Amino acid sequence: MAQRTTSASLISSRRELAQLAAGLLAWYDRHRRALPWRAKAGEHPDPYRVWLSEIMLQQTTVKTVAPYFSTFLARWPTVTALAEAELDEVLHAWQGLGYYARARNLHRCAQIVAHRHRGRFPRSVEGLQALPGIGPYTAAAIAAIAFGRKATVVDGNIERVTARLFAVREPLPRAKEQLRRLAHALTPVLRPGDHAQAMMDLGAVICTKHRPRCTLCPWQASCLALKQGIATALPKRAPKPRRPLRRGIVFWLVRGGREVLVRKRPAKGLLGGLMELPSTGWAEVPPTLAEAECQAPLAARWRALPGIVRHVFTHFELELTVLAGSVGETTEGPGGVNEGETHRWCRLDRLSDLALPTLMKKVVAHALAHGG
Ligand code: SF4
């Protein structure tokens, strides 16, 4: 592999790049992973399966996604069937996959494809990216895998493999554009979808984060990081800024010893459209208990449960204190409190039927464990 001035500015000749791509495809033909959404060799990929799996795989591992993918496919075998489902059903089936905006976008996207595109996904990266929930990575993956377009697919795994192959020492995220250009240069005109999947497999199985299995790698003879003995040190990353901490108070209000008050979050925003236990706002400075009682959904004798519920979102960390209270079994709900939210009573033994996000499941477990 030819090297110019520094490894960071290294670009191999076209012939070398073509050889690398061919070596990777030959390896893929022998060692490809059998995944439930992946077309078998010689089969035409189904764009619906490709799209569904790519949305589920955003921020989520293959192992976690596999059973959800099978459930969704059995229940909604086509994009049109998914478009006809109720959003609540989709959110409920999505429970446990996290990042619920994906489920809402999935449903909206299915409706747009079913109604505006007559059930057919657009074939170009631009057309795909115009759909809800499809960013540059997902659009490139669908265009390449489902439609054989020469689109460059770059996720964390592929950044790692590329950084190592070319020994890119510049830290992420600054190195992103350089890695994208290198990955693009590696992408062949023929079989770009298999190339994308081969890169994914190589990153997942061989060029792993902590222990790359270089002796099994189709690129071991060319890999610059291996030659320089720095494979595990790449890619470098700039230190992440700390996530801010927010705090709040959540209300566990039991009616007649059998039901608990829940509400639906507004459709837009964090955890939009999901059910939750009512709470104060989440802020850097939490309300005092007295202030929180003023924001409680109903008047009750409140007591703070011991301990704190912690949860980490992408952009902040959250600590919730749980206030428990009870009311008599004929008490009405707060109806109409806070426009856009719908309160209702839910039987304690039916809480698992609700589309509760992980955070709220933690609150429920905490309340039940502390006799709330
Ligand atoms: Fe990764 Fe090793 Fe292959 Fe280089 S030789 S791409 S470090 S697995």
Side-chain angles (χ1 to χ4, degrees):
M1 191 184 293
Q3 194 167 358
R4 290 183 188 168
T5 46
T6 65
S7 56
S9 65
L10 180 147
I11 294 282
S12 304
S13 74
R14 278 193 184 190
R15 206 169 123 254
E16 284 169 312
L17 289 166
Q19 281 169 353
L20 287 168
L24 179 66
L25 281 172
W27 172 84
Y28 180 70
D29 288 339
R30 289 195 305 277
H31 300 291
R32 51 190 282 149
R33 287 178 295 173
L35 299 172
W37 44 84
R38 190 174 270 180
K40 296 193 175 59
E43 271 180 13
H44 275 300
D46 172 2
Y48 174 60
R49 286 175 173 236
V50 176
W51 164 75
L52 183 60
S53 63
E54 287 299 335
I55 301 294
M56 287 183 165
L57 286 164
Q58 290 168 2
Q59 329 259 4
T60 312
T61 62
V62 162
K63 196 172 163 210
T64 305
V65 164
Y68 284 88
F69 177 81
S70 305
T71 303
F72 266 66
L73 203 67
R75 196 158 167 192
W76 300 296
T78 63
V79 71
T80 311
L82 184 58
E84 283 166 5
E86 292 294 327
L87 175 61
D88 273 352
E89 290 177 86
V90 175
L91 288 171
H92 193 259
W94 192 269
Q95 261 190 90
L97 273 178
Y99 301 96
Y100 287 87
R102 286 185 297 163
R104 288 194 303 279
N105 282 331
L106 183 90
H107 188 243
R108 248 182 346 121
C109 182
Q111 293 183 323
I112 292 172
V113 171
H115 301 140
R116 283 194 216 150
H117 298 278
R118 292 197 221 138
R120 296 197 171 165
F121 282 87
R123 301 170 77 88
S124 68
V125 170
E126 298 71 29
L128 287 160
Q129 229 177 298
L131 294 169
I134 301 187
Y137 166 81
T138 308
I142 300 169
I145 299 169
F147 301 119
R149 298 284 169 116
K150 186 180 182 292
T152 307
V153 182
V154 187
D155 66 355
N157 276 348
I158 295 173
E159 280 179 347
R160 180 173 64 252
V161 175
T162 310
R164 288 174 177 173
L165 177 64
F166 295 96
V168 174
R169 293 170 186 249
E170 177 145 33
L172 285 165
R174 254 203 337 262
K176 269 186 179 298
E177 181 50 28
Q178 185 187 1
L179 293 174
R180 199 200 62 74
R181 275 191 277 116
L182 289 167
H184 179 71
L186 262 177
T187 307
V189 178
L190 292 177
R191 301 180 64 192
D194 283 346
H195 174 84
Q197 293 175 101
M199 289 289 276
M200 293 171 186
D201 283 10
L202 194 70
V205 178
I206 301 291
C207 194
T208 54
K209 199 168 176 183
H210 300 296
R211 285 191 193 181
R213 301 158 76 199
C214 301
T215 52
L216 302 177
C217 179
W219 287 340
Q220 57 180 295
S222 310
C223 177
L224 290 176
L226 177 61
K227 278 186 189 149
Q228 295 171 22
I230 54 169
T232 49
L234 297 183
K236 290 186 189 294
R237 286 179 192 280
K240 276 192 186 164
R242 245 189 93 74
R243 290 187 183 95
L245 174 64
R246 293 187 199 166
R247 297 190 183 96
I249 291 179
V250 59
F251 302 99
W252 175 258
L253 182 60
V254 175
R255 180 170 81 167
R258 291 190 305 124
E259 295 169 312
V260 68
L261 186 69
V262 295
R263 70 179 175 186
K264 192 170 198 170
R265 288 181 68 86
K268 291 208 169 133
L270 185 71
L271 308 177
L274 296 180
M275 299 304 293
E276 67 171 3
L277 297 155
S279 76
T280 63
W282 305 337
E284 205 175 307
V285 180
T288 61
L289 292 184
E291 285 166 345
E293 285 192 23
C294 296
Q295 297 177 43
L298 288 174
R301 186 176 293 170
W302 296 102
R303 66 187 172 93
L305 298 183
I308 275 174
V309 177
R310 291 192 170 81
H311 191 72
V312 178
F313 289 102
T314 314
H315 299 298
F316 66 95
E317 292 179 21
L318 180 65
E319 288 182 357
L320 290 178
T321 300
V322 183
L323 285 193
S326 57
V327 289
E329 62 184 321
T330 54
T331 309
E332 296 275 324
V337 173
N338 299 333
E339 199 179 332
E341 294 162 355
T342 317
H343 291 76
R344 68 180 164 98
W345 298 101
C346 175
R347 273 175 38 190
L348 286 165
D349 59 356
R350 302 301 297 270
L351 273 171
S352 58
D353 294 348
L354 297 179
L356 286 178
T358 306
L359 163 66
M360 288 299 150
K361 287 184 179 163
K362 286 186 192 174
V363 173
V364 170
H366 187 86
L368 292 174
H370 291 85

